[in-house]
Amino acid sequence: MTEKVNQNVPKTEEMSNQNNNIKNEIRQRNAVLIDQQTKRQIQEWLEGNPYQELLEYMRSRVMGQENIAVVVANVYNYLKNVSIPDTGMEMPTHGNCNNMILAAPSGSGKTETYRAFKDYFKKRIPALRLTISDVSNLTATGYRGAEPSSIVEPFLGCGLEPIGIVFMDEFDKICTPSYSANNGDVHLEVQHNLLTLVEGSRVETKQGYVNTNKLLFIGMGSFDQFRKKRENDSKEPIGFGAVGSDEIMEAEHAAPITREDMISAGGCYELIGRFSYIENYHPLDQETILNIIKKACEDIADQFHCDINLEEEAMAELFESANSKFGCRLIESKIREVVLKAYSEAMQKDSAWDVMDLNIDTLNSYTFGFREYTEEEMELEEAFQSGGVHKEIPVPKMSFEERMEALIRAQTQQD
């Protein structure tokens, strides 16, 4: 009886090994199919010569930043290179050749850059994965918390050599020293851990292995601390009669961030060197802020079926917010909060109105009335209800240009 049991043990182990081999073969085959599918979708996209389409879309989302063209060209070049079929004859392609750092003052469009790329490729290349991670929350490998390798975990099961873009938000925060109780620089250790990821290798995560050879890494941050350090290092006494010192300081603060600035502030030379490009956004000018306000009002008006009229004081408050440390990121939220309050009151009074006519005096004061659809709007409404069109009814939009010209002239005269 004992001999029979002993004879069955090797057979059981052999069957288990065979099952594992079959599972591994299936995983390998599926990974190859995923790689091929992603490359095929990219190649089909490239056949349409889509660079101009992508650039125009990104410019419509990330307003007023000339360097968005460079960012788009880099992403386009990355996708073109990694989509080359593997024949064994060509030189190996690596995404890390296109790694980029995007230095952008708060509210100038860096997060919108990620959102716009994600929205575009979701429709054009569905198999292409884009992720964003707050790397300021990472801890060095072996410590409690999220390890650096966690930022590539979303690419598990995305092929043998996943193709995708990893946006590392708050990248600037890990490039400044942060000392632990034993006086070790935790951020420097995190940078060393990230080095393995961004240069391309087979990375072990808590959930499995990810090959990062063909991933594109884009570090993003405001780099405000770097700018302050640079200002402090270069401060000189201003002599009697100095003119325009405030303007000079503002210009110096917005000056482009360089590799030298990053390394001087505590960035790891080896890690910063793995990023081939450093691009800078600039603070937004008044014309761009005006366009952002206009677009926000148009989008919100379409959603709530309303006319939005911003008075001079409300416009001034939005401009003041845009010029603060928050930049333009809060403009839409501030307008949306007012519209939602008015919409709530309007629905309580009468839920059968066609279009709400909203006048925003300040961000805390507004009045509203109602009007009926115009003939053109009624035709569009009927077509929409019957399924003939698939978009919201356009409502008349306010003219911002004349109002803002007067506001800018008044501010110039006051200065």
Side-chain angles (χ1 to χ4, degrees):
M1 184 70 179
T2 304
E3 291 180 359
K4 289 183 180 180
V5 172
N6 290 337
Q7 290 174 357
N8 288 336
V9 170
K11 292 183 179 180
T12 303
E13 290 179 353
E14 184 178 348
M15 291 180 61
S16 178
N17 291 334
Q18 289 177 350
N19 290 334
N20 289 334
N21 290 336
I22 293 173
K23 290 179 181 178
N24 289 333
E25 288 179 8
I26 293 174
R27 291 193 190 100
Q28 187 87 355
R29 194 179 304 122
N30 289 340
V32 171
L33 291 175
I34 292 172
D35 286 344
Q36 292 173 346
Q37 180 190 32
T38 305
K39 288 186 177 183
R40 184 168 58 251
Q41 288 186 9
I42 296 174
Q43 290 163 1
E44 291 173 354
W45 176 70
L46 288 169
E47 287 175 0
N49 193 22
Y51 174 77
Q52 287 298 331
E53 178 193 69
L54 175 57
L55 179 58
E56 289 176 11
Y57 178 80
M58 294 301 294
R59 279 177 170 166
S60 72
R61 293 282 299 270
V62 185
M63 298 183 182
Q65 299 294 352
E66 296 84 358
N67 282 356
I68 188 63
V70 179
V71 178
V72 169
N74 183 49
V75 170
Y76 179 86
N77 179 258
Y78 158 73
L79 292 173
K80 192 171 183 178
N81 289 335
V82 296
S83 66
I84 297 173
D86 295 324
T87 62
M89 301 297 293
E90 71 284 344
M91 292 291 291
T93 55
H94 297 280
N96 55 72
C97 297
N98 295 90
N99 288 343
M100 171 179 282
I101 294 176
L102 181 57
S106 296
S108 62
K110 61 180 181 296
T111 306
E112 184 64 15
T113 299
Y114 158 73
R115 292 195 188 109
F117 272 127
K118 189 173 182 66
D119 291 345
Y120 177 87
F121 286 121
K122 184 177 181 180
K123 294 181 178 180
R124 293 292 189 268
I125 311 177
L128 182 67
R129 178 161 294 191
L130 283 75
T131 66
I132 187 168
S133 300
D134 183 347
V135 294
S136 67
N137 295 325
L138 298 178
T139 58
T141 302
Y143 289 84
R144 180 180 298 177
E147 295 185 357
S149 62
S150 64
I151 69 173
V152 297
E153 282 184 354
F155 293 90
L156 284 166
C158 292
L160 292 176
E161 291 186 313
I163 297 174
I165 308 176
V166 182
F167 289 83
M168 299 185 290
D169 200 15
E170 305 291 355
F171 182 80
D172 53 322
K173 301 297 190 297
I174 63 167
C175 293
T176 54
S178 176
Y179 295 100
S180 61
N182 60 3
N183 295 324
D185 187 347
V186 178
H187 283 172
L188 186 59
E189 292 184 54
V190 171
Q191 291 183 66
H192 287 153
N193 294 152
L194 285 174
L195 178 61
T196 306
L197 276 68
V198 301
E199 67 183 359
S201 63
R202 189 168 181 264
V203 177
E204 182 180 7
T205 74
K206 292 181 179 180
Q207 305 298 323
Y209 285 91
V210 176
N211 190 323
T212 66
N213 275 334
K214 293 190 176 180
L215 292 179
L216 168 59
F217 292 87
I218 299 180
M220 304 189 301
S222 64
F223 292 87
D224 285 338
Q225 293 300 320
F226 294 66
R227 302 177 199 275
K228 291 177 182 177
K229 183 181 185 306
R230 182 174 59 188
E231 291 166 8
N232 292 333
D233 292 344
S234 62
K235 270 186 179 178
E236 295 181 2
I238 299 176
F240 177 75
V243 179
S245 59
D246 290 342
E247 289 80 359
I248 293 173
M249 290 180 63
E250 185 176 342
E252 288 180 350
H253 183 80
I257 294 292
T258 65
R259 283 187 177 82
E260 290 71 21
D261 293 327
M262 297 179 188
I263 294 170
S264 175
C268 170
Y269 182 87
E270 292 83 357
L271 178 63
I272 303 302
R274 293 301 188 277
F275 290 86
S276 303
Y277 311 105
I278 296 179
E279 290 302 322
N280 283 263
Y281 284 174
H282 56 73
L284 301 177
D285 56 30
Q286 288 186 323
E287 182 180 357
T288 301
I289 295 172
L290 174 61
N291 289 332
I292 291 173
I293 294 174
K294 182 178 179 180
K295 185 176 186 301
C297 282
E298 290 176 347
D299 293 343
I300 296 170
D302 286 343
Q303 180 181 348
F304 285 93
H305 286 199
C306 66
D307 298 333
I308 299 177
N309 180 49
L310 291 175
E311 295 297 339
E312 185 174 307
E313 189 171 350
M315 293 290 285
E317 289 177 335
L318 290 172
F319 263 76
E320 183 179 357
S321 174
N323 291 320
S324 70
K325 66 178 182 179
F326 297 107
C328 288
R329 67 178 64 179
L330 296 181
I331 284 179
E332 182 174 350
S333 297
K334 287 179 178 290
I335 299 172
R336 189 175 290 276
E337 286 175 2
V338 180
V339 174
L340 181 59
K341 289 178 182 178
Y343 181 80
S344 174
E345 291 182 25
M347 293 298 291
Q348 293 177 61
K349 288 184 178 181
D350 182 6
S351 60
W353 47 268
D354 292 336
V355 178
M356 177 175 65
D357 189 5
L358 176 61
N359 195 75
I360 302 178
D361 302 313
T362 71
L363 297 181
N364 294 309
S365 174
Y366 57 86
T367 58
F368 63 85
F370 306 107
R371 69 170 178 82
E372 296 180 350
Y373 288 134
T374 63
E375 291 184 6
E376 181 183 0
E377 291 170 351
M378 185 62 70
E379 292 175 359
L380 286 170
E381 168 69 3
E382 292 174 355
F384 178 75
Q385 295 295 339
S386 63
V389 295
H390 300 281
K391 61 180 181 180
E392 296 290 349
I393 304 168
V395 297
K397 306 299 187 301
M398 59 173 291
S399 173
F400 283 82
E401 286 73 10
E402 294 180 357
R403 189 181 304 278
M404 283 314 304
E405 285 178 3
L407 178 60
I408 293 172
R409 281 198 304 270
Q411 290 177 338
T412 304
Q413 291 172 0
Q414 185 177 0
D415 295 338

